């Protein structure tokens, strides 16, 4: 009897060790997959605060909460099942989906750089107050969830590609962990960013001189922080998108671009201590430059098409900017080329 009990305890211990190892494998897989998607995560965190910019402070967190749940639904109930089915039945499609997503990232990053250099959308941020309300808020959150869906697709595809060698169930668990962790990370950071100025105002009202100075620093520094995050997000999009295109071209048999990058890495790779970092920096820079070039090329093809296709026409200009302005109580002024003006 005692021998049977000891054997049972041994079996339970063995099962516990297996379970612990599985948890470790899942954690390692999730960390690996999440790290590869970091560039898109940064851009997701950089993009979302723009959607609640100008909203009533009391509505900022409820809006972020709605976007958070929409993002989680996108990842868990739409993107994850679709990716698992694709990986199970037509895994050869995943590299092409990845490159399509990489092209989108390059296009978005290049478009942001282009508009920044051209100085577009400045008028939309300086228009007079007119309107606000629940309808505008609903439009903004819907637009944010739609944008998040595209970024979430890319995050999940990158994560899937990193754990493609795992079993189907392991992939599913790892992707669930990645979806939960990244969504909580992104929208936790977004909530902190958009409320930072409120925290600063609260501290500035304290009696302590130190609290007041720190509060004033937070309030004055937040515009610079948001600008920095946006710049980092744009660079991350170009870097990740360009690297996806480099690696995808290499995997499909076109080795010349990546071989050239490796040639450029070689002179710095052998430098003691810093060689590895400098080689990564060269690789990253090359990826970002390629991402910008590819994005500009896609822009040159897509933008003329958007002018003639029905779904490419915008009502009253840049729709995303107009919606955010409406939420904040602004309406874009009539443009000179607007027939209604």
């Amino acid at each position: 009897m005692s021998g049977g009990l000891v054997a049972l305890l041994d079996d339970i211990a063995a099962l516990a060790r297996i379970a612990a190892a599985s948890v470790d494998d899942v954690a390692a897989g999730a960390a690996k997959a999440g790290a590869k998607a970091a560039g898109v995560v940064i851009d997701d965190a950089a993009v979302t605060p723009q959607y609640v910019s100008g909203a009533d402070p009391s509505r900022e967190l409820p809006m972020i909460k709605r976007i958070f749940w929409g993002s989680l639904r996108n990842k868990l109930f739409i993107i994850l099942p679709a990716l698992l089915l694709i990986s199970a039945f037509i895994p050869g499609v995943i590299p092409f989906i990845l490159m399509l997503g990489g092209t989108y990232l390059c296009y978005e990053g290049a478009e942001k750089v282009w508009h920044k250099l051209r100085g577009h959308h400045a008028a939309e941020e300086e228009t007079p107050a007119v309107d606000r309300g629940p309808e505008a808020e609903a439009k903004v959150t819907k637009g944010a969830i739609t944008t998040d869906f595209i970024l979430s697709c890319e995050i999940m595809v990158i994560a899937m590609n990193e754990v493609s060698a795992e079993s189907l169930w392991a992939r599913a668990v790892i992707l669930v962990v990645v979806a939960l962790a990244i969504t909580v990370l992104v929208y936790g950071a977004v909530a902190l960013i958009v409320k930072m100025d409120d925290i600063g105002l609260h501290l500035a009202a304290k009696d302590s001189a130190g609290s007041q100075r720190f509060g004033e620093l937070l309030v004055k520094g937040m515009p610079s922080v948001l600008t920095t995050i946006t710049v980092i997000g744009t660079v991350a999009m170009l870097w990740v998108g360009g690297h996806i295109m480099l690696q995808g071209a290499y995997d499909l048999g076109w080795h010349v671009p990546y071989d050239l990058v490796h040639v450029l890495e070689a002179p710095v790779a052998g430098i003691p201590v810093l060689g590895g970092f400098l080689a990564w920096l060269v690789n990253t820079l090359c990826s970002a430059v390629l991402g910008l070039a590819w994005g500009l090329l896609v822009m040159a093809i897509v933008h003329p098409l958007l002018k003639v296709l029905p779904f490419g026409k915008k009502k009253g200009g840049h729709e995303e900017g107009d919606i955010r302005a409406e939420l904040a109580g602004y309406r874009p002024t009539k443009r000179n080329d607007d027939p209604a003006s």
Side-chain angles (χ1 to χ4, degrees):
M1 182 69 173
S2 61
L5 180 59
V6 170
L8 177 60
L9 292 174
D10 285 343
D11 289 342
I12 292 172
L15 288 172
R17 286 194 295 272
I18 293 171
S22 299
V23 170
D24 287 343
D25 290 343
V26 168
K32 178 183 177 185
K36 281 291 185 178
V40 193
V41 172
I42 293 170
D43 185 70
D44 205 1
V47 167
T48 308
Q50 301 172 24
Y51 283 91
V52 297
S53 175
D56 186 315
S58 66
R59 298 302 306 157
E60 288 174 343
L61 291 182
M63 288 176 67
I64 292 170
K65 182 179 178 181
R66 287 174 63 184
I67 299 169
F68 167 83
W69 287 115
S71 174
L72 205 55
R73 285 195 300 270
N74 284 342
K75 291 182 180 76
L76 295 181
F77 300 123
I78 301 176
I79 302 169
L80 177 58
L83 283 180
L84 289 175
L85 287 172
I86 289 171
S87 68
F89 296 106
I90 44 174
V93 174
I94 290 180
F96 295 98
I97 296 175
L98 198 60
M99 292 185 73
L100 182 63
T103 297
Y104 170 78
L105 291 176
C106 294
Y107 168 77
E108 280 290 296
E111 192 174 44
K112 289 181 180 181
V113 172
W114 178 258
H115 287 321
K116 186 66 176 177
L117 294 176
R118 295 288 300 272
H120 285 189
H121 311 320
E124 292 172 353
E125 298 173 359
E126 299 172 358
T127 48
V130 162
D131 189 24
R132 73 180 69 201
E135 185 178 349
E137 181 178 313
K139 287 180 183 178
V140 171
T141 53
K142 182 179 178 181
I145 291 170
T146 301
T147 301
D148 177 273
F149 179 82
I150 299 169
L151 294 173
S152 292
C153 281
E154 190 61 16
I155 288 169
M156 297 295 279
V157 171
I158 292 172
M160 170 69 81
N161 190 59
E162 288 303 306
V163 296
S164 58
E166 303 291 338
S167 67
L168 182 64
W169 288 111
R171 272 177 273 160
V173 173
I174 288 170
L175 289 177
V176 167
V177 172
V178 168
L180 289 170
I182 285 179
T183 308
V184 170
L185 174 66
V186 167
Y187 289 100
V190 168
L192 183 62
I193 288 169
V194 300
K195 300 308 290 184
M196 194 63 74
D197 53 351
D198 292 341
I199 295 171
L201 290 172
H202 178 73
L203 290 173
K206 294 282 188 181
D207 294 332
S208 167
S211 296
Q212 291 175 2
R213 284 195 297 271
F214 185 62
E216 291 171 1
L217 181 65
L218 284 178
V219 173
K220 292 177 181 178
M222 280 314 296
S224 299
V225 170
L226 289 172
T227 300
T228 301
I229 292 173
T230 301
V231 171
I232 292 172
T234 301
V235 172
M237 288 183 91
L238 294 172
W239 156 44
V240 174
H243 186 77
I244 288 171
M245 302 311 296
L246 271 176
Q247 187 65 55
Y250 188 90
D251 292 342
L252 292 175
W254 190 29
H255 296 173
V256 175
Y258 219 156
D259 286 344
L260 177 60
V261 173
H262 289 318
V263 168
L264 295 175
E265 289 177 10
V268 298
I271 297 176
V273 183
L274 294 176
F277 171 74
L278 292 175
W280 173 85
L281 201 60
V282 170
N283 189 299
T284 299
L285 180 61
C286 291
S287 297
V289 170
L290 173 67
L292 179 60
W294 180 243
L296 290 173
L297 177 62
V298 174
M299 276 182 62
I301 297 170
V302 169
H303 279 199
L305 291 176
L306 291 178
K307 292 179 180 179
V308 297
L309 295 175
F311 57 80
K313 294 178 181 178
K314 303 292 185 184
K315 296 181 180 179
H318 191 266
E319 186 176 2
E320 180 182 306
D322 292 350
I323 290 172
R324 291 204 302 269
E326 184 181 347
L327 173 72
Y330 300 101
R331 179 172 296 167
T333 53
K334 298 289 186 182
R335 292 173 174 81
N336 294 332
D337 59 348
D338 190 342
S341 60

